[in-house]
Amino acid sequence: MIELTYCPKWFYGRDIIIDIVSMVVLLLIVIFSVSSYRIGKNKKYQWLSFAFSLLFLSFLFKILMNFTVYNHIIETTRIGYAVFTYERIISADNLYFIGHLLYRILTILGLYALYAVYTKPNGPTFALTSILVAVAIFFSNSYNYVFYSLCFVILAMIATFYIKNNYNKRNPKTKLLAASFVIICLSQLVAIFINMNRDLYVVSELMQLLGYLGLLLTYVMVLRDGKKKIKD
Amino acid sequence: MERKRSRIDIIADMLLSIQNKGGKIKPTHLMYKSNMSHSQMKSYLEELIGKNFVSKVNTNNYEYLMLTDAGSKFLERLKEMKEFEKTFGL
């Protein structure tokens, strides 16, 4: 059987649930950012909604890709006819590689867009970084560790910004946001080594879940505090 | 130096000034409380009344400005945005 996933068999489907939870969190932030942009016309909201939309779509492709692979593996095992199984592998491979490529491109572009919200790169910097990102995307499709390393580096830069923001503002929400991004960033660091040990895929996914739940809690606290101060 | 207030900051300050006065305020008080010139306030007030966030009422021959339910909800939304911007460093 062709190896299409690093997920241990006992974890099949559970990672999809984690990705759906992450998608829901991203979608909530996208909806909030879009409606806030409509109210205030703040360009940063436009960029933020763009970045989170790309990340939302990347998870959508990841889920479709994983769903195809798991479904394919289960069906192939169950049927067991040589010709039929061969055809299924080919079709699953095509879907897998398309989903795989889109997932990686959208993830890197989404993270880069999020980073750009805070760094406001000028023309030449943006062009140079875009070329480097394009080269990295090209290699990341063939080598897992290149993709996860790139995600780790961009997330580390974003997390650094949130840590600095927390240092300046010092409130529970900025602290939780910084912690969430640090956890999501570390989940990518763990993912770099999934080729060596499949269990690391589970660790990485669970860290991702923890990070996105932190992001959800931050969002809920933002809404709660917005309401609370009105009553004071 | 403090940055210049955006349009949405001015609207938030106006609505908040009315809310802090128990939902009802005299126009001159609003002008002072939200740090605006007369012409500035007139133009913003027209917008807020047009959007039904604020309404004019007469009590004891005095004109007052009242925060409507829609205005309260909009102010709540602006506060959420402010919290979000602070948290995400926007």
Side-chain angles (χ1 to χ4, degrees):
Chain A
M1 191 183 291
I2 294 172
E3 202 68 69
L4 294 175
T5 177
Y6 288 99
C7 181
K9 270 188 181 166
W10 64 268
F11 202 63
Y12 281 0
R14 289 178 176 88
D15 58 342
I16 291 179
I17 294 168
I18 290 173
D19 290 338
I20 289 172
V21 171
S22 309
M23 272 178 76
V24 170
V25 177
L26 289 167
L27 185 64
L28 288 172
I29 296 174
V30 169
I31 292 168
F32 185 91
S33 306
V34 170
S35 75
S36 298
Y37 174 70
R38 283 187 186 154
I39 292 170
K41 302 283 176 233
N42 181 344
K43 288 255 178 203
K44 285 193 170 183
Y45 273 119
Q46 199 177 24
W47 269 101
L48 200 75
S49 58
F50 175 65
F52 280 107
S53 301
L54 289 177
L55 292 173
F56 170 83
L57 287 174
S58 77
F59 273 113
L60 188 69
F61 281 107
K62 187 183 174 192
I63 289 168
L64 290 176
M65 175 183 86
N66 281 343
F67 191 77
T68 311
V69 172
Y70 300 159
N71 194 39
H72 146 77
I73 290 168
I74 291 163
E75 283 194 30
T76 331
T77 317
R78 210 178 280 162
I79 296 162
Y81 291 109
V83 178
F84 201 65
T85 308
Y86 173 75
E87 281 171 0
R88 280 201 169 276
I89 288 170
I90 295 293
S91 65
D93 272 1
N94 290 337
L95 277 173
Y96 174 81
F97 286 115
I98 291 166
H100 187 260
L101 185 67
L102 286 172
Y103 159 61
R104 293 191 168 194
I105 290 174
L106 292 170
T107 302
I108 292 170
L109 289 180
L111 291 176
Y112 180 55
L114 186 57
Y115 172 68
V117 171
Y118 301 108
T119 50
K120 297 176 204 156
N122 58 24
T125 313
F126 186 77
L128 181 66
T129 320
S130 300
I131 292 166
L132 290 174
V133 166
V135 171
I137 288 171
F138 178 78
F139 283 109
S140 76
N141 200 40
S142 313
Y143 305 102
N144 264 329
Y145 63 88
V146 174
F147 170 70
Y148 291 119
S149 303
L150 187 61
C151 290
F152 170 71
V153 170
I154 304 175
L155 274 162
M157 291 191 290
I158 297 167
T160 305
F161 177 83
Y162 288 138
I163 291 167
K164 279 183 191 164
N165 188 44
N166 175 54
Y167 186 77
N168 293 330
K169 309 236 166 80
R170 290 193 182 277
N171 74 53
K173 296 186 291 291
T174 52
K175 192 182 274 182
L176 187 58
L177 181 70
S180 305
F181 269 86
V182 167
I183 294 169
I184 295 171
C185 175
L186 291 176
S187 77
Q188 300 304 297
L189 180 66
V190 171
I192 295 172
F193 305 102
I194 55 173
N195 293 16
M196 298 176 191
N197 185 346
R198 278 164 173 255
D199 291 337
L200 289 178
Y201 178 87
V202 179
V203 175
S204 170
E205 284 285 317
L206 290 176
M207 286 174 80
Q208 180 196 307
L209 176 67
L210 192 65
Y212 276 95
L213 287 178
L215 194 55
L216 177 66
L217 190 59
T218 309
Y219 177 71
V220 171
M221 284 166 77
V222 164
L223 298 187
R224 186 202 62 188
D225 288 359
K227 284 182 179 72
K228 197 165 70 180
K229 283 180 186 168
I230 275 184
K231 288 169 193 162
D232 291 342
Chain B
M1 202 176 88
E2 287 248 336
R3 71 175 176 90
K4 196 169 165 258
R5 283 189 300 172
S6 67
R7 187 185 140 273
I8 213 75
D9 289 335
I10 294 172
I11 289 174
D13 285 347
M14 287 174 79
L15 295 177
L16 193 61
S17 300
I18 306 174
Q19 192 184 57
N20 288 343
K21 272 284 197 176
K24 201 169 141 184
I25 196 170
K26 282 183 181 171
T28 40
H29 288 178
L30 177 63
M31 193 172 83
Y32 298 135
K33 288 220 172 267
S34 44
N35 294 315
M36 295 169 83
S37 67
H38 182 263
S39 60
Q40 223 184 351
M41 195 185 78
K42 205 178 152 199
S43 116
Y44 276 97
L45 209 51
E46 274 172 16
E47 188 183 338
L48 293 181
I49 292 170
K51 287 182 174 166
N52 198 30
F53 293 156
V54 169
S55 64
K56 280 182 181 174
V57 286
N58 275 303
T59 313
N60 301 329
N61 287 334
Y62 285 106
E63 189 180 74
Y64 285 91
L65 297 166
M66 266 186 73
L67 189 65
T68 62
D69 285 347
S72 288
K73 275 183 190 154
F74 188 68
L75 180 58
E76 193 175 290
R77 185 69 180 82
L78 294 181
K79 290 200 167 197
E80 285 171 0
M81 281 169 63
K82 207 86 186 158
E83 285 293 325
F84 189 89
E85 285 163 27
K86 260 198 278 176
T87 306
F88 280 79
L90 296 179

